[in-house]
Amino acid sequence: MTEHRFSERQACKLLEMDLSSYRYEPKPDKNGPLRQELVALAKRHPRYGYRMLARKLQDRGWVANHKRIERLYRQEHLMMRRLKRKRLTRVPQPMTDVDRANQEWSMDFVADGLATGRAIRALTMIDSYTRESPAIEVDFSLTSRRVTRVLEWIIEQRGKPERIRVDNGPEFTSRHFLSWCEHRGIGLIHIQPGRPMQNGRVESFNGRFRHECLNTNWFVTLQDAKEKIEAWRCEYNQERPHSSLGYLAPAVFAARGPFAAVMVDAAGARRVQAQDELAALGLDTPPRRQGMASMAAKGRIEVLC
């Protein structure tokens, strides 16, 4: 300004600067001693947050609002860095149709407890086509090596599957289990985290297992639990009717082969046809629930024997 003989107002106008900004003089830091004490205290207690540090400062005679302490705490970058949890991402794996045995197996874990309060785990698996349960392994701890030993025994009995559908538990994502599947030539399908419906067949089995076995039995010892669970598994495979198999037991359905599947498809087609006929009559529920005798007397439907 002295060289070009400009006034402050003219120079600020040329530089597009506000005159008050040019004349501003920074005020001295009134929080200097407090800032130094806060930094020293934070270095001594690096895991303390600003509220704990504010309390410590108050105990030492400092009078300062907690908001001022927080502002100084942030300006000095005294916050502890928190590592974000890594989230596993996988592509969607919806359930696909299966048309033969050993095309796909599904596995999962179920937790329960003994009468003493000690926790036990059960490895459940089913054939996605026949709905048979080849084994339910029960123990206090089940590692990935234990899982592969059980699978080796089952493969010797009924052959190996083309693929296995599992969740993202540590037993199913370990290097040992992955290398075992690759060595055996078995495809591995990991569902998305938090999407149990992508493994719906074994989840449905687990629901029946808990409702019909775990919730109705009292396990005194581990051996008692193994015996009762094995007895239920045999009954499930040999005797229990399965609605999705045309109310055949899984073992009976597997023994009949493709003919059983044709019968189930035909039964499903008849049910769909019956539902369409009811919808045409304006009935939303099956005739038995609405009183077949009274409706037949009114002539609204024909009762077929």
Side-chain angles (χ1 to χ4, degrees):
M1 290 184 295
T2 305
E3 181 180 355
H4 298 282
R5 297 182 181 181
F6 283 168
S7 63
E8 293 181 352
R9 188 180 301 275
Q10 290 175 334
C12 290
K13 187 175 182 180
L14 289 174
L15 297 176
E16 296 182 355
M17 178 186 296
D18 191 71
L19 187 60
S20 60
S21 299
Y22 173 75
R23 294 177 177 176
Y24 173 78
E25 294 182 1
K27 298 180 180 179
D29 185 13
K30 298 180 180 180
N31 297 317
L34 178 62
R35 188 189 303 271
Q36 294 177 1
E37 186 71 17
L38 178 63
V39 172
L41 195 60
K43 289 181 179 180
R44 184 178 178 182
H45 303 285
R47 293 289 177 177
Y48 282 9
Y50 78 92
R51 292 184 182 274
M52 292 283 290
L53 295 176
R55 183 63 183 180
K56 296 285 288 185
L57 290 173
Q58 291 176 5
D59 294 341
R60 295 187 177 188
W62 290 90
V63 179
N65 189 282
H66 70 278
K67 291 181 287 186
R68 178 187 295 183
I69 301 297
E70 181 184 8
R71 183 173 66 253
L72 299 177
Y73 183 80
R74 292 181 178 275
Q75 289 176 357
E76 296 297 326
H77 304 286
L78 300 177
M79 299 86 68
M80 291 295 298
R81 182 182 178 185
R82 294 184 180 182
L83 298 178
K84 294 184 179 180
R85 183 179 177 182
K86 295 182 180 179
R87 295 288 182 178
L88 179 64
T89 57
R90 293 192 185 276
V91 296
Q93 297 289 348
M95 292 191 300
T96 56
D97 294 333
V98 289
D99 54 10
R100 61 186 179 278
N102 289 345
Q103 183 178 356
E104 180 181 287
W105 292 0
S106 301
M107 298 195 306
D108 198 7
F109 283 96
V110 178
D112 203 65
L114 300 178
T116 59
R118 187 170 182 180
I120 60 175
R121 301 185 74 196
L123 171 65
T124 59
M125 62 183 70
I126 63 168
D127 188 306
S128 299
Y129 177 69
T130 64
R131 306 302 172 89
E132 291 179 287
S133 175
I136 300 179
E137 188 72 8
V138 183
D139 210 332
F140 296 121
S141 176
L142 295 170
T143 63
S144 60
R145 295 185 180 275
R146 182 73 172 275
V147 173
T148 54
R149 285 201 302 268
V150 175
L151 289 174
E152 289 281 3
W153 179 81
I154 297 174
I155 290 174
E156 291 179 0
Q157 305 295 323
R158 54 180 295 153
K160 72 174 185 178
E162 297 179 13
R163 58 180 182 266
I164 300 178
R165 182 179 291 266
V166 293
D167 58 15
N168 297 279
E171 300 84 3
F172 301 139
T173 56
S174 65
R175 294 181 179 178
H176 170 73
F177 187 75
L178 297 178
S179 61
W180 180 86
C181 291
E182 184 177 0
H183 176 72
R184 277 284 190 171
I186 299 174
L188 197 57
I189 301 176
H190 285 103
I191 64 174
Q192 287 181 296
R195 295 292 186 271
M197 68 288 295
Q198 296 180 5
N199 202 7
R201 295 185 179 97
V202 75
E203 292 291 345
S204 177
F205 173 81
N206 290 343
R208 297 187 182 95
F209 175 47
R210 183 171 295 281
H211 179 68
E212 300 176 7
C213 180
L214 299 181
N215 291 347
T216 58
N217 286 284
W218 183 263
F219 304 133
V220 181
T221 61
L222 178 62
Q223 184 62 31
D224 182 42
K226 290 182 177 181
E227 293 175 356
K228 291 179 179 178
I229 290 174
E230 180 63 19
W232 179 86
R233 186 190 70 85
C234 294
E235 180 185 357
Y236 172 86
N237 286 336
Q238 303 293 334
E239 302 176 10
R240 186 188 184 281
H242 204 292
S243 59
S244 64
L245 303 178
Y247 289 95
L248 297 175
V252 177
F253 177 82
R256 293 187 180 183
F259 179 71
V262 173
M263 293 180 60
V264 172
D265 293 341
R270 288 196 298 270
R271 285 197 298 269
V272 173
Q273 183 180 2
Q275 293 174 359
D276 294 341
E277 293 177 355
L278 291 175
L281 293 173
L283 305 177
D284 296 332
T285 57
R288 291 184 182 276
R289 297 182 183 179
Q290 297 187 3
M292 293 183 64
S294 61
M295 296 178 65
K298 295 179 182 179
R300 294 182 63 185
I301 63 171
E302 296 182 0
V303 180
L304 302 179
C305 298

